[in-house]
Amino acid sequence: MSIRIKLLLSYTGMLVISLLVFVLTASLFTIAATGDIHGIRDFYKVHYQINPLTEEEESIFLELKYLAKNEPDELQNKELLSEYDFKLRTVRAGLYVRRDNDQIFESNTMNQPELEANLPPYDLNNHQIRNTLNIGERFYAYAKYDFRYSDGARGSVYVIRERSPFGEVTRKLLPILVLSLVGIVVVANVLLYRWITRSVVKPLDLLRKSAEHIKEGNLQFSLDLHSKDEIGQLNETFENMRKRLHESIQLRLQDEENRKELISNISHDLRTPITNIKGYIEGIRDGVADTPEKMDKYVNIIYTKTTDLDKLVNELFLYSKLDLKQVPFMFEHVDIIGFIDDCIDEQRYVLEEKGIRLEWKERTGQSVEVIADLEKLKRTVLNIIENAQKFMDKQDKTICVSTQLSPEWVTVEIRDNGMGIEPEAIPYIFERFYRAEPSRNSSTGGSGLGLAIASQIIEGHGGTIWVESEPGIGTSLYFTLKRATKEAV
Ligand code: ADP
């Protein structure tokens, strides 16, 4: 059974129960008040007819009734009647006595000229002692007793009390009021039912449809439900789950794409030197290298190509291990100044041979400790210096190394006055296999992995690496390393 049907049944059930309870209460009340159950319709009439007067008025009326029965002529005694009237006035009622067609006594509190004309005719059997009457807009409740004076003339004694018109209106409109109350209960139930279905069933329906979308593999939608209740929270969790799922699928697709690209790049990069080596070996086999000089040249080329291939495979291996986080970092306290000194000493001779001047803005005597994996850091610096010399196009070739210190970080800058990098290539140079302008790079024989490896290493150190470059002027490669504090490592 759906929630909607369950709600409908429970609300209808509640409605029926409340109406039954309403009817039952009214019936019980009627029985308790009248001792009879001729119908709820009669309840208010009976109640009013039985109790038109208050208890005090009623007791005065009973005294008057007793007089009428036993000493009727006393009800012509104006003095006595005035006394009774006084008593009645204190409880806000009035007295009226008539004899045949004459009025014997009328309370001056009544102030109702039409009263006499509206009183009921004589009924010596006194069938209806208590009743109500309307005169114009005013409404009266009374108790009366008809009797005969000793001379046989008919007489009536009335104890009359003016009632609030509101009470009368209520009495007249009671059926309508009861119907309106029942109507209010029904309408309230219908509205509550609609409200609950809207706030519960509808969002659940939306949630079900969304789950179906996900089942069909469609994750590009969003659930915009703003309610803050439990269903709202459920929707929020569901929406978060959808986002996560969407992200992870996107990531998987991206990974897949990267994997394909990697395989294609590797095959391409391996094929070129292998094709070259194969070509030269075929040349030797076919006797093209027919002189010892030619043979020497061919063998040298094959050797260089094999070395390149070896370097490429090693770089690839390192990169993939770094990427898979399979290379452990052996962190230790390293004096970065001493470390750069060593690197510079190592490279100076090779670079000077190529006509490149290596400047090192050393901070003499100052030792600055960082936390680093020495071997990997060296790899980074060498990769950057290698690039700086590879892309050098000036006559006066300079590579300048410097450091900047902050309380927490050391920034190392390696600046060259080479060809620079076009601004549009800058965001990609740390990506694997990326070479800005491949034609320009073909002579350099780079794998496109040098900066990708450097970036992996620096990130592994918790630092950052970035580049600033001006085409035609030069390039600065920066990386940061965390300074060692006493507690660290
Ligand atoms: P490669 O093996 O091609 O040098 P890298 O990842 O080390 O690969 O560098 C990526 C690309 O960034 C290079 O191909 C080159 O186009 C550009 N590049 C890197 N360093 C420099 C530099 N110092 N001057 C000019 N271009 C550079």
Side-chain angles (χ1 to χ4, degrees):
M1 196 191 287
S2 71
I3 293 185
R4 195 184 285 270
I5 304 272
K6 279 183 190 163
L7 281 172
L8 187 64
L9 286 181
S10 66
Y11 272 86
T12 316
M14 274 313 291
L15 186 65
V16 171
I17 290 169
S18 43
L19 288 179
L20 279 177
V21 169
F22 183 74
V23 170
L24 209 68
T25 314
S27 315
L28 288 175
F29 199 41
T30 311
I31 296 168
T34 65
D36 194 5
I37 180 148
H38 287 306
I40 295 165
R41 239 181 83 239
D42 294 337
F43 162 70
Y44 62 102
K45 269 193 190 168
V46 173
H47 179 80
Y48 265 88
Q49 282 161 11
I50 285 186
N51 298 306
L53 304 176
T54 63
E55 250 175 65
E56 295 98 322
E57 290 159 0
E58 194 68 24
S59 78
I60 298 169
F61 171 69
L62 288 177
E63 276 179 39
L64 287 165
K65 189 175 154 192
Y66 180 83
L67 268 183
K69 271 188 183 167
N70 299 308
E71 294 167 65
D73 292 340
E74 281 295 302
L75 293 178
Q76 291 180 106
N77 178 348
K78 294 248 167 90
E79 231 169 83
L80 182 74
L81 292 177
S82 292
E83 264 174 45
Y84 276 114
D85 183 42
F86 179 74
K87 280 195 215 164
L88 281 171
R89 266 190 285 159
T90 57
V91 290
R92 298 217 202 116
L95 179 66
Y96 185 90
V97 180
R98 69 181 173 183
R99 181 191 156 96
D100 283 334
N101 294 329
D102 303 327
Q103 171 190 309
I104 302 283
F105 187 89
E106 184 183 357
S107 286
N108 50 12
T109 48
M110 220 75 84
N111 190 23
Q112 176 54 269
E114 304 283 309
L115 184 65
E116 194 177 342
N118 282 280
L119 289 177
Y122 286 102
D123 165 28
L124 290 164
N125 293 324
N126 287 310
H127 277 131
Q128 196 162 34
I129 291 181
R130 296 169 179 83
N131 208 344
T132 55
L133 59 91
N134 265 30
I135 303 172
E137 303 244 300
R138 296 167 74 179
F139 170 63
Y140 299 90
Y142 66 82
K144 67 134 190 166
Y145 188 73
D146 290 339
F147 58 94
R148 278 193 190 278
Y149 286 99
S150 55
D151 57 2
R154 290 170 303 171
S156 301
V157 58
Y158 284 85
V159 171
I160 304 177
R161 175 188 176 84
E162 187 167 1
R163 283 200 171 262
S164 121
F166 179 72
E168 171 66 345
V169 167
T170 312
R171 193 169 76 94
K172 276 191 181 156
L173 294 182
L174 195 62
I176 295 168
L177 289 176
V178 169
L179 276 181
S180 320
L181 287 177
V182 171
I184 288 172
V185 173
V186 173
V187 170
N189 259 274
V190 171
L191 289 179
L192 281 173
Y193 167 73
R194 273 173 63 97
W195 178 61
I196 290 290
T197 42
R198 267 165 191 249
S199 58
V200 175
V201 180
K202 266 197 171 180
L204 282 179
D205 227 33
L206 214 66
L207 208 60
R208 184 184 53 75
K209 280 188 190 142
S210 311
E212 266 166 23
H213 280 315
I214 292 180
K215 193 180 85 187
E216 283 155 17
N218 171 18
L219 287 157
Q220 271 159 329
F221 63 90
S222 79
L223 267 173
D224 55 341
L225 287 158
H226 309 293
S227 70
K228 292 269 170 276
D229 55 11
E230 288 84 345
I231 295 204
Q233 286 163 8
L234 178 67
N235 276 320
E236 208 178 300
T237 316
F238 190 84
E239 177 63 5
N240 287 341
M241 186 189 83
R242 182 197 66 78
K243 277 190 197 150
R244 280 282 182 86
L245 212 59
H246 188 53
E247 276 166 20
S248 77
I249 287 178
Q250 291 299 106
L251 216 66
R252 215 192 62 211
L253 290 176
Q254 183 66 45
D255 276 357
E256 187 73 5
E257 199 55 37
N258 287 351
R259 199 178 54 81
K260 283 185 194 156
E261 195 190 302
L262 190 69
I263 292 175
S264 128
N265 283 333
I266 294 172
S267 342
H268 176 264
D269 280 38
L270 291 179
R271 195 186 304 126
T272 320
I274 289 175
T275 315
N276 281 336
I277 293 167
K278 216 172 123 195
Y280 283 105
I281 290 175
E282 267 170 13
I284 294 170
R285 216 172 56 175
D286 296 348
V288 180
D290 46 5
T291 61
E293 292 78 37
K294 267 192 186 172
M295 178 62 99
D296 213 30
K297 189 180 158 204
Y298 273 36
V299 170
N300 273 339
I301 292 173
I302 291 169
Y303 179 75
T304 319
K305 294 283 169 198
T306 323
T307 314
D308 285 352
L309 207 55
D310 186 46
K311 192 178 159 217
L312 176 63
V313 171
N314 280 338
E315 282 194 339
L316 203 56
F317 190 53
L318 176 65
Y319 174 78
S320 74
K321 282 212 306 196
L322 283 167
D323 198 29
L324 292 168
K325 312 263 180 285
Q326 278 180 355
V327 194
F329 281 76
M330 315 296 267
F331 290 116
E332 55 187 303
H333 282 203
V334 175
D335 170 23
I336 187 77
I337 308 294
F339 165 78
I340 296 175
D341 268 343
D342 292 349
C343 287
I344 300 270
D345 284 346
E346 220 178 284
Q347 291 295 307
R348 196 182 299 278
Y349 178 70
V350 187
L351 291 177
E352 269 170 12
E353 274 211 323
K354 291 182 183 169
I356 300 172
R357 201 172 66 249
L358 197 54
E359 282 177 18
W360 162 223
K361 294 187 179 164
E362 188 186 349
R363 292 160 191 278
T364 41
Q366 198 183 2
S367 113
V368 180
E369 292 224 316
V370 292
I371 301 161
D373 178 324
L374 206 62
E375 200 186 311
K376 293 192 183 64
L377 193 60
K378 190 163 183 186
R379 180 77 189 222
T380 306
V381 173
L382 292 186
N383 279 2
I384 297 171
I385 291 182
E386 195 184 330
N387 276 346
Q389 53 159 316
K390 264 197 309 198
F391 301 105
M392 193 64 85
D393 62 348
K394 309 277 178 335
Q395 282 288 59
D396 177 23
K397 305 176 170 84
T398 321
I399 296 175
C400 179
V401 183
S402 62
T403 54
Q404 285 155 32
L405 304 181
S406 82
E408 268 190 82
W409 300 92
V410 177
T411 308
V412 179
E413 179 188 358
I414 300 173
R415 181 157 45 84
D416 64 60
N417 63 343
M419 59 175 66
I421 308 168
E422 294 299 324
E424 54 273 22
I426 284 183
Y428 307 107
I429 63 163
F430 295 103
E431 284 180 12
R432 65 194 176 199
F433 295 115
Y434 181 81
R435 296 139 170 145
E437 292 186 49
S439 58
R440 199 171 68 166
N441 278 258
S442 59
S443 56
T444 66
S447 63
L449 286 169
L451 288 184
I453 289 172
S455 139
Q456 291 266 24
I457 292 174
I458 295 299
E459 275 167 23
H461 279 74
T464 39
I465 184 164
W466 73 97
V467 67
E468 282 172 12
S469 183
E470 257 189 83
I473 295 189
T475 305
S476 281
L477 244 300
Y478 299 89
F479 63 86
T480 57
L481 291 169
K482 200 157 181 56
R483 287 183 73 164
T485 53
K486 282 192 186 86
E487 310 85 63
V489 181

